[in-house]
Amino acid sequence: MAAKIILFLIYGNKRAYHLELTYSVLSAARFLKEDPAEIRLVLATDRENQRPDLPVDHLLMTPEMLYEWQMEGTYNHAVKAYALHHAVKHFNSPVILLDSDTIIHEHPKRLFDRMG
């Protein structure tokens, strides 16, 4: 079975988003350290916002993808749906998209237990 994916998304260059992302990723990673449960943490991002300091794999988005996914700049948050769709197709695995300000308080495998 392919690994399950917890997907985070960040683009643009806002320090607050990066601080939130750091805390969110580390809150999930602490559980996966003891019990990986075949879960990968993945960051969908543009080249400028890669985070090699975090325990994540990267799914890169080109500037053209971001522009298209933002509906040519008219709806910034549409990127979430497009990034999720892209990750599902790319990994061919269950994917859960978490906002960068999400704090994980119990093992993330429980999220996948709730998926249909």
Side-chain angles (χ1 to χ4, degrees), residues 5-78:
I5 306 297
I6 294 182
L7 182 69
F8 298 92
L9 170 66
I10 197 164
Y11 55 95
N13 197 10
K14 293 193 177 183
R15 179 169 163 69
Y17 294 161
H18 281 274
L19 292 172
E20 291 171 348
L21 174 71
T22 299
Y23 193 70
S24 186
V25 167
L26 294 178
S27 74
R30 70 183 175 135
F31 292 102
L32 299 177
K33 189 175 185 179
E34 293 178 22
D35 177 12
E38 296 186 36
I39 296 173
R40 290 172 59 192
L41 302 178
V42 175
L43 176 60
T45 189
D46 52 3
R47 199 165 290 287
E48 293 77 29
N49 286 289
Q50 292 183 77
R51 294 292 306 272
D53 60 315
L54 292 177
V56 295
D57 296 320
H58 290 88
L59 181 61
L60 290 180
M61 301 179 297
T62 65
E64 295 79 20
M65 291 164 79
L66 275 172
Y67 182 72
E68 178 185 333
W69 293 357
Q70 290 173 327
M71 305 176 94
E72 300 177 348
T74 63
Y75 184 49
N76 200 35
H77 296 295

Side-chain angles (χ1 to χ4, degrees), residues 85-102:
H85 181 259
H86 179 66
V88 169
K89 285 177 37 181
H90 179 82
F91 293 108
N92 193 29
S93 297
V95 178
I96 293 175
L97 173 64
L98 296 181
D99 282 332
S100 62
D101 62 354
T102 302

